Amino acid sequence: MHTDGKPLDSSLSLASAAAALRLYDTASHAVSPFTPLVPGRVGIYVCGATVQSSPHIGHIRAAVAFDIVRRWLMRLGYQVTFIRNVTDIDDKILDKAAAAGEQWWQRAYRYEREFTQAYDALGVLPPTYEPRATGHMGEMAELIARLVDRGHAYVVRDAAGRPTGNVYFDVPSWPEYGELTHQKQSAQPDDEASRVADSMGPSVDDEGEDRYNPADPADVSPDKRDPRDFALWKASKPSDPPTARWSTPFGVGRPGWHLECSTMSHRYLGEMFDIHGGGLDLRFPHHENEMAQTKAAGWRSANRWMHSAWVTAKGEKMSKSLGNGLSVGQVLAEDSAWVVRYALGAVQYRSMLEWSQRSLTEAEAAYERISNFIQRAGEAVGGQPSRAQIAAVGADALPEAFTAAMNDDVNVSGATAAVFTAIREGNTMLATSGERTATTTAAIRSTLVAVRAMLDTLGLDPLADPWATGRDDADGGHDEHEALDALVRERLEARAQARHAKDFATADAIRDGLGAAGILIEDGAQGSSWSLGAAR
């Protein structure tokens, strides 16, 4: 579990560009100016994984999407508190653990570690805190009691009047139910992704099978007073192991899914916080129910709700239950983590992302253009800027087109276009013949810093962890690169001297020796440059 509480933007002050940030809100179906509840600080809660099995790229797309949102807020100078929960008790976890002959908590922890490794491999920043549902049972019981006392929940009792362990939220008692998705008001979302989600899942008004979130058995119980009521606490099943049962005043059982997030978001971010995020398929019923129970408890919930769209294959949402899901391990076995991250973050978070070989090929080509420019520009200016220098670049110092795109509801496509515009301008400067002046060298360095800072905002600076060494868990990648660069430069200098002396045999031997080590040499008007032939 990550507990990294120090934001990476701790040295930045709030940028002037922060005033122009506009974000979409699911509840209002509109893009509107973002103003934090506390000046200079932003609280974000994102629904994390139900750790029943290995992560697939649909899970990680959401993680990458909100990582980019978070990184942009940090680049604007905000102090960001980022909470991402782990649902480590659930019917699916219990059922799959029983079928595999293992303890449920053993399975949950194993797959929690797999998710963490996938996040790390794809450059997703660790959350400020990552709470587990099983660590907050007492607080969940307190929330249920609060809802019962306020007349918005009821305890199911047996013939003798004893609590059975089942507690339901009383939807008719809360007239505002449906306000997040607006389905009761017949309002149509103004974005295509939301319209697709509405057409493929259940709604507030229509009972129906959700293809992606099957109904909780507790939520179809005859004990419910209203079909829309949902479980806050669920009585233990006979098959549940003793370790998956918790005693409360309402009976022995375990929490409903929706209850967990209301409890944990309130515990770590308070009665109201800035942004609640998650995948598009969580809008209903999960987030609708979560909003209702949170506000019915007398708390104010999130100020803004944001949802990332799906990864699709041939127009169909990728899902293991539909047989078209791709595990992160499968994808990383064929393509580098940088390429996969680029492909997952290539479009705005609200846009459906069609996954195909073409998207990966485009990401591979992007890597080649980016890494080639960064290497050549670094050689031209006598070395790469440090990671500290890149991290210190505030939003106001970035190209205007990039800042405008990111402030436009985190329009990654526009931001990426700005990156390649800067690279094109930098390549033009590098290709200019003749002696390079101090002015042109300074201009190349400025462009290099801007390009790397923009990429860093997208989590794609090739010289940052985890990309710097090609190993997801490595440290010191920048130092290793600099050491290798120094060694290769020494050989290139010796080769240049040999060529100047017309000792071509020695020059060719140096080139061949470097080539045998996997180092490719490219000669140009401004001298020789090198790259790792196998690097991706």
Side-chain angles (χ1 to χ4, degrees):
M1 211 165 30
H2 293 302
T3 56
D4 180 9
K6 184 178 180 181
L8 300 185
D9 61 338
S10 57
S11 64
L12 298 178
S13 57
L14 199 63
S16 298
L21 177 61
R22 294 168 59 83
L23 297 173
Y24 186 80
D25 178 24
T26 300
S28 66
H29 291 321
V31 175
S32 60
F34 175 77
T35 302
L37 297 169
V38 178
R41 297 180 180 273
V42 177
I44 303 176
Y45 183 94
V46 172
C47 286
T50 298
V51 286
Q52 55 169 312
S53 57
S54 297
H56 58 71
I57 60 171
H59 296 131
I60 303 303
R61 192 273 166 106
V64 168
F66 285 102
D67 185 61
I68 294 172
V69 172
R70 177 189 184 184
R71 286 172 180 267
W72 180 236
L73 290 166
M74 291 164 62
R75 188 68 64 175
L76 288 170
Y78 286 111
Q79 299 289 322
V80 179
T81 299
F82 191 94
I83 308 299
R84 183 182 66 217
N85 75 299
V86 175
T87 297
D88 59 342
I89 183 68
D90 176 84
D91 282 301
K92 294 177 182 178
I93 296 172
L94 292 172
D95 294 343
K96 291 184 178 182
E102 61 185 338
Q103 298 287 345
W104 65 271
W105 45 264
Q106 181 183 25
R107 183 182 187 90
Y109 184 67
R110 182 171 74 255
Y111 288 116
E112 179 185 333
R113 294 299 305 153
E114 281 199 22
F115 270 88
T116 298
Q117 290 161 7
Y119 296 143
D120 292 345
L122 290 166
V124 175
L125 296 174
T128 308
Y129 195 69
E130 191 166 35
R132 299 187 184 105
T134 52
H136 299 78
M137 292 299 177
E139 291 158 300
M140 291 184 203
E142 291 173 5
L143 175 53
I144 292 173
R146 185 181 180 94
L147 289 167
V148 171
D149 290 344
R150 294 171 68 90
H152 298 301
Y154 55 93
V155 179
V156 177
R157 299 180 181 275
D158 63 18
R162 294 175 301 227
T164 63
N166 287 316
V167 185
Y168 290 96
F169 183 84
D170 186 357
V171 169
S173 75
W174 189 248
E176 296 178 41
Y177 187 79
E179 63 182 313
L180 175 63
T181 52
H182 289 214
Q183 295 175 85
K184 288 184 69 175
Q185 293 93 328
S186 299
Q188 291 298 312
D190 62 357
D191 63 287
E192 181 61 24
S194 293
R195 285 193 289 271
V196 170
D198 284 347
S199 68
M200 301 180 84
S203 73
V204 172
D205 302 309
D206 300 322
E207 290 291 324
E209 180 64 21
D210 185 342
R211 302 172 67 193
Y212 309 113
N213 293 303
D216 186 328
D219 286 339
V220 295
S221 169
D223 294 332
K224 295 199 304 183
R225 298 175 181 173
D226 186 282
R228 297 172 299 167
D229 295 350
F230 56 88
L232 298 172
W233 193 257
K234 303 187 294 186
S236 296
K237 298 181 297 184
S239 60
D240 289 349
T243 52
R245 302 165 186 250
W246 286 265
S247 295
T248 71
F250 327 110
V252 177
R254 48 195 168 82
W257 177 32
H258 318 302
L259 184 75
E260 299 173 8
C261 288
S262 289
T263 302
M264 290 186 280
S265 63
H266 182 265
R267 166 66 177 81
Y268 296 100
L269 294 173
E271 290 197 8
M272 191 173 188
F273 52 95
D274 296 287
I275 297 171
H276 194 312
L280 186 63
D281 49 345
L282 299 183
R283 291 185 319 141
F284 186 88
H286 182 47
H287 286 164
E288 190 72 74
N289 293 352
E290 185 185 337
M291 173 187 271
Q293 68 195 11
T294 299
K295 297 182 78 171
W299 303 334
R300 297 175 62 195
S301 188
N303 197 35
R304 185 181 300 261
W305 294 73
M306 298 172 66
H307 293 89
S308 60
W310 299 329
V311 179
T312 60
K314 299 180 179 179
E316 175 65 85
K317 180 193 174 188
M318 279 193 171
S319 169
K320 285 187 178 181
S321 62
L322 298 180
N324 65 349
L326 284 176
S327 73
V328 175
Q330 285 177 279
V331 176
L332 293 182
E334 298 181 4
D335 294 279
S336 76
W338 191 100
V339 166
V340 173
R341 164 136 187 162
Y342 184 98
L344 286 172
V347 298
Q348 185 189 45
Y349 70 96
R350 283 197 291 129
S351 299
M352 296 293 184
L353 175 63
E354 179 69 13
W355 193 259
S356 66
Q357 185 55 49
R358 178 180 177 181
S359 62
L360 291 167
T361 300
E362 291 174 351
E364 182 73 26
Y367 178 85
E368 295 295 342
R369 290 179 63 190
I370 288 168
S371 59
N372 181 268
F373 168 73
I374 290 176
Q375 178 186 309
R376 293 174 61 227
E379 292 170 352
V381 302
Q384 289 290 340
S386 69
R387 280 290 304 145
Q389 289 175 292
I390 300 303
V393 177
D396 291 339
L398 297 176
E400 184 178 345
F402 181 88
T403 301
M406 293 298 285
N407 270 343
D408 182 18
D409 195 29
V410 196
N411 181 0
V412 173
S413 297
T416 303
V419 172
F420 285 112
T421 295
I423 288 175
R424 185 165 57 252
E425 293 170 352
N427 282 331
T428 299
M429 287 186 282
L430 288 169
T432 302
S433 60
E435 285 293 321
R436 192 167 287 137
T437 67
T439 300
T440 56
T441 298
I444 292 170
R445 180 178 177 81
S446 177
T447 302
L448 173 61
V449 169
V451 166
R452 285 188 55 195
M454 288 188 287
L455 290 168
D456 192 45
T457 303
L458 302 176
L460 292 169
D461 178 10
L463 301 184
D465 289 336
W467 326 118
T469 64
R471 298 204 320 271
D472 300 332
D473 59 347
D475 294 318
H478 182 63
D479 293 339
E480 290 180 10
H481 179 84
E482 288 190 339
L484 179 60
D485 182 62
L487 292 172
V488 174
R489 280 178 174 277
E490 182 181 1
R491 301 304 297 148
L492 289 179
E493 179 62 26
R495 178 171 175 265
Q497 292 176 3
R499 294 177 71 187
H500 182 72
K502 300 188 184 305
D503 183 0
F504 297 113
T506 298
D508 290 344
I510 293 173
R511 181 183 186 117
D512 291 344
L514 290 172
I519 295 171
L520 304 182
I521 306 302
E522 181 177 346
D523 297 319
Q526 303 300 322
S528 300
S529 60
W530 67 273
S531 62
L532 290 173
R536 285 293 184 268

